[in-house]
Amino acid sequence: MDFSLTDEQELLVDSVNEFADRYFDEEKINAWYDQHGLPESVSRAYLDAGFGYMGIPEEYGGVPCDKVTLGVLTEAVGHATGAVMPFLNNTLAMVDMLDMGNEDQVKMCLDAYEHTGHPIFSLGFSEPAAGSDNAAMTSVTREQADGSFILSGQKTWVTEGEKLPYCLIVAKEEDPDRKNRDMTMWLVPMNLDGIKTAPLVKIGQTIMPFCELYLDNVKLTPDMLVGERKAGFMNMMKNFEMERALIVAQGLGMAQAAMDDAAAYATERITFGMPIARQEMIMYHLTEMEAKLQNTRSLLYKVLWMMDQGKSTQMESALLKYYGAKACTEVASDALQIYAGLGYTTETRLGRIWKDLRGNQIAGGTDEIMVYICGRQLAKRYARK
Amino acid sequence: MEVLVSLKIVPDDQDIQTTADGKLDFSIAKPVISSYDQNAIEAAAQIEGANVSAITVGPASINDTKQRKNILARGPKQLFMVADDTFQDADANVTAKAIVAGAQKAGNFDLIVFGAGSADTYAQQVGIQVGELLGWPVVNGVSKITAGEGSITVERTTETEVQTIDVPLPAVVAVTSDIVEPRIPSMRDILKAGKLPVTEWTAADLGSDTTKAIDIIETVAPAPADRKREVFDASVDGDIDKFAAALAEALR
């Protein structure tokens, strides 16, 4: 069993580190968090450096890249920046559109992506009453005699919804009732009549703000349809497993950055006449942290490997998200604890990393939903035949 | 224009350690492209109309698959590698003779490009000696290269002026580290690199003169200095002057 990275993957990590060295520092990152966004020049540079083409199918100009390598890229960016960057979301959104969009939609989105380094659409899936329970969504379209559709409802946690000119919205057809699972996807221009947004303020991951979206009798036309009618739910779920893995990859990189800081500090900080690294409780923290980092890493790459092999990862991707998101938050929390008073200030980045990672226990599927997915699968898997 | 860029692969200086008896320990220092040579590779790759090859000479340890791909991901279309322990701790003269032999074996080059100096010894000698051995014009301190017809025009930045020099080819140049920022190899570049040709030669294949011009007797780290522990108090009259005087004495 070969656990090593290939030369190519190692060179990729070197390139990511070099990229981060040139474009990022704590001052810039904190400023971008305050400003709620990266300068376009940076997302362009990410694309020009080739990273933004990884994970995109070759026929659309993408670089051939297996899922393990995509994981390596994502972890490396998280580690090198110690921050949440929009890149993984950008790539996933583009993959969705390339998968499901028609020729015109694909061309429009790809052109924009090549220009700016980010997609031109946000994702409108969750609602105030329908996050984990997405079958409870009540946004609904009603087909009209002239072939148009009237869309009404509300979406929330729409990342970059206030900034981007389009929104990929999932809505039920005709009947908002829970029992109706006929959902359709639409690429909706944000300048249509009846669309309003309202900002929400996150406590972490603030470089990517999200918002509420109000849809009041918005007139949609058939050219806005994405994928097959009534197949929206399945389409939405398709890339969920990859998203879970990449969220963990990013979080792992950031947790590792927190560990790098805290473990080094523990060897330098002197109390009671010696480095705190010699105190047993600190040794305990460092051991727990390292175990969580290595476990998360092993499980992450195993799951990505399984995906590359075409194996089903319905249970494993949920297991990874469940374990990894929480483990990384705990690593960051322990890292902050090692810095003690200093860790509780903005003089170090541990607080930012901890707040960011806390969000990953919710984003991309909550811990509780992951347990629900695993639990059902485990019962099936272990039942005696 | 056929361009050859000469680069050195050195142990990563971040991981060089000192042992208790002052000797250097390279055991965890992985081979890397000498940093200023990255600028040289990029400068060569950016010359208009250049077809770039790379050459490197060193001990057997430089033959590292990752570094081979690293070099080929940065512009050169092929690599000539002489990884032979005959070249362990080779002085500039031995290295220069080997590069001359390698360049002549590899093809007919119009221009050979060197970095400002190696990341480990920084003797800044090899490029100049290569030019001298070949009998070609050599210009160092080059901060800009423009391709011409059978010639190049270079800018050479000194402390007081920028010289513009027309150099007939074939020639040798040594470039400054600020001539151009090296590219960040993209995944595409990295994947292609694995398919580009590498020609390996031994010292015997080159047949160059490996007689040392310099004999290394010993390499030791400097002994750590004892701390002086002289304390000055800014609030005491005259102490600032004493501090300045002590500092000046120490610097002398």
Side-chain angles (χ1 to χ4, degrees):
Chain A
M1 219 178 268
D2 189 351
F3 287 80
S4 49
L5 294 184
T6 62
D7 287 338
E8 287 78 1
Q9 287 163 344
E10 283 192 18
L11 288 169
L12 173 65
V13 172
D14 289 346
S15 285
V16 169
N17 289 336
E18 183 59 40
F19 181 80
D21 235 1
R22 291 192 198 177
Y23 288 94
F24 296 83
D25 58 37
E26 277 298 294
E27 204 180 315
K28 289 194 185 116
I29 290 170
N30 288 326
W32 296 339
Y33 266 51
D34 283 341
Q35 291 155 23
H36 293 173
L38 276 186
E40 204 166 88
S41 57
V42 180
S43 24
R44 272 302 317 256
Y46 185 77
L47 195 64
D48 290 343
F51 306 124
Y53 287 108
M54 291 173 65
I56 291 187
E58 245 184 299
E59 63 258 39
Y60 296 110
V63 179
C65 169
D66 59 27
K67 295 186 163 69
V68 167
T69 305
L70 205 53
V72 170
L73 168 68
T74 309
E75 183 190 352
V77 173
H79 183 228
T81 58
V84 164
M85 287 294 141
F87 306 130
L88 89 85
N89 297 60
N90 292 350
T91 306
L92 286 172
M94 285 311 295
V95 168
D96 277 348
M97 180 53 65
L98 295 172
D99 212 8
M100 299 177 297
N102 64 38
E103 217 177 296
D104 291 329
Q105 291 163 340
V106 163
K107 179 165 182 1
M108 175 178 73
C109 291
L110 210 47
D111 281 347
Y113 185 66
E114 290 182 343
H115 228 74
T116 62
H118 62 73
I120 48 168
F121 58 93
S122 56
L123 304 176
F125 294 173
S126 293
E127 300 185 0
S132 298
D133 184 13
N134 46 34
M137 74 167 72
T138 54
S139 294
V140 69
T141 57
R142 296 202 156 95
E143 191 165 3
Q144 307 297 299
D146 65 355
S148 68
F149 296 78
I150 301 297
L151 167 66
S152 286
Q154 192 183 340
K155 294 292 178 187
T156 190
W157 326 138
V158 184
T159 303
E160 307 289 16
E162 298 214 283
K163 190 159 73 174
L164 299 176
Y166 288 84
C167 186
L168 190 64
I169 297 177
V170 174
K172 285 185 176 168
E173 293 224 12
E174 303 305 320
D175 182 4
D177 190 274
R178 222 205 125 72
K179 283 194 284 351
N180 178 16
R181 302 296 164 95
D182 289 340
M183 299 172 189
T184 300
M185 240 186 227
W186 304 87
L187 186 61
V188 181
M190 292 292 279
N191 58 3
L192 294 181
D193 278 338
I195 298 183
K196 274 220 256 315
T197 61
L200 290 165
V201 182
K202 295 197 285 196
I203 64 170
Q205 304 195 17
T206 55
I207 205 170
M208 297 194 303
F210 56 31
C211 69
E212 292 181 308
L213 181 60
Y214 300 98
L215 306 160
D216 241 308
N217 296 317
V218 182
K219 182 169 168 181
L220 306 179
T221 46
D223 58 297
M224 297 175 194
L225 178 66
V226 178
E228 302 252 331
R229 289 205 28 207
K230 308 188 184 175
F233 189 74
M234 289 321 297
N235 282 338
M236 213 166 68
M237 303 276 290
K238 241 203 249 189
N239 290 312
F240 271 9
E241 291 179 19
M242 189 60 193
E243 185 189 13
R244 287 173 203 154
L246 291 187
I247 288 175
V248 171
Q250 179 186 66
L252 173 61
M254 292 166 64
Q256 184 66 60
M259 176 70 170
D260 292 352
D261 290 356
Y265 179 73
T267 68
E268 295 156 6
R269 169 71 174 174
I270 312 287
T271 65
F272 301 101
M274 59 184 180
I276 61 174
R278 291 212 229 134
Q279 300 284 5
E280 284 179 7
M281 282 299 297
I282 301 296
M283 286 189 201
Y284 173 72
H285 288 319
L286 294 178
T287 306
E288 278 287 307
M289 289 157 81
E290 184 70 16
K292 285 166 187 168
L293 290 168
Q294 292 209 25
N295 279 339
T296 304
R297 188 168 293 116
S298 299
L299 187 53
L300 168 67
Y301 289 108
K302 181 177 173 189
V303 171
L304 291 171
W305 172 85
M306 287 173 75
M307 290 176 180
D308 282 334
Q309 300 298 311
K311 295 180 193 279
S312 162
T313 51
Q314 192 184 7
M315 197 279 284
E316 280 78 3
S317 63
L319 191 71
L320 170 65
K321 176 73 171 41
Y322 165 72
Y323 179 81
K326 193 137 62 97
C328 289
T329 307
E330 288 166 1
V331 168
S333 179
D334 286 351
L336 192 159
Q337 186 73 5
I338 287 173
Y339 269 91
L342 195 56
Y344 204 60
T345 70
T346 55
E347 297 295 310
T348 70
R349 60 180 180 170
L350 284 328
R352 181 192 71 232
I353 294 178
W354 177 58
K355 282 190 293 178
D356 283 356
L357 291 177
R358 184 63 186 83
N360 285 349
Q361 288 181 245
I362 300 157
T366 60
D367 292 351
E368 292 79 3
I369 290 294
M370 294 305 117
V371 167
Y372 181 61
I373 295 170
C374 287
R376 286 182 309 169
Q377 294 292 314
L378 290 169
K380 276 193 221 163
R381 212 178 267 205
Y382 282 93
R384 274 187 260 250
K385 307 237 182 320
Chain B
M1 194 193 299
E2 293 298 318
V3 179
L4 181 68
V5 58
S6 179
L7 62 110
K8 188 174 184 183
I9 294 176
V10 298
D12 191 342
D13 57 30
Q14 282 193 51
D15 293 320
I16 300 177
Q17 303 168 301
T18 334
T19 62
D21 54 350
K23 300 278 193 303
L24 295 180
D25 174 6
F26 296 93
S27 56
I28 63 165
K30 299 219 182 97
V32 293
I33 300 175
S34 171
S35 41
Y36 303 132
D37 290 344
Q38 287 188 10
N39 304 93
I41 297 171
E42 188 64 38
Q46 286 195 18
I47 298 172
E48 210 183 309
N51 186 32
V52 183
S53 305
I55 189 168
T56 187
V57 174
S61 58
I62 69 167
N63 198 352
D64 174 87
T65 60
K66 181 181 165 187
Q67 290 315 308
R68 286 158 57 142
K69 289 168 191 169
N70 193 6
I71 294 163
L72 292 166
R74 291 169 177 275
K77 306 275 186 359
Q78 61 177 337
L79 171 64
F80 299 96
M81 174 171 270
V82 185
D84 189 317
D85 281 337
T86 309
F87 297 106
Q88 180 70 48
D89 298 323
D91 58 51
N93 197 245
V94 168
T95 306
K97 285 176 173 159
I99 291 172
V100 165
Q104 289 170 333
K105 206 172 153 66
N108 288 319
F109 294 100
D110 302 303
L111 180 66
I112 308 183
V113 180
F114 288 82
S118 66
D120 51 2
T121 53
Y122 204 65
Q124 303 184 286
Q125 283 293 305
V126 177
I128 296 172
Q129 291 196 24
V130 165
E132 181 60 24
L133 287 165
L134 287 168
W136 293 1
V138 184
V139 186
N140 65 1
V142 168
S143 50
K144 187 172 177 187
I145 303 173
T146 312
E149 287 295 324
S151 69
I152 51 172
T153 305
V154 303
E155 277 180 24
R156 191 167 181 267
T157 309
T158 69
E159 275 172 43
T160 52
E161 61 188 2
V162 177
Q163 303 167 347
T164 305
I165 307 169
D166 286 326
V167 188
L169 300 178
V172 173
V173 294
V175 301
T176 60
S177 56
D178 48 17
I179 185 170
V180 71
E181 200 174 40
R183 72 187 61 182
I184 296 177
S186 72
M187 196 67 205
R188 236 187 272 272
D189 297 334
I190 295 168
L191 290 171
K192 281 198 204 137
K195 306 190 177 87
L196 294 175
V198 178
T199 308
E200 292 180 43
W201 290 320
T202 62
D205 291 331
L206 283 187
S208 62
D209 179 8
T210 55
T211 321
K212 291 189 211 181
I214 297 175
D215 243 316
I216 298 176
I217 299 173
E218 194 186 34
T219 307
V220 281
D226 277 328
R227 306 193 77 172
K228 287 206 189 304
R229 295 173 202 259
E230 282 184 48
V231 182
F232 301 90
D233 189 340
S235 59
V236 170
D237 242 358
D239 252 29
I240 299 248
D241 293 327
K242 284 202 202 135
F243 171 66
L247 204 57
E249 185 55 47
L251 288 170
R252 255 193 289 273

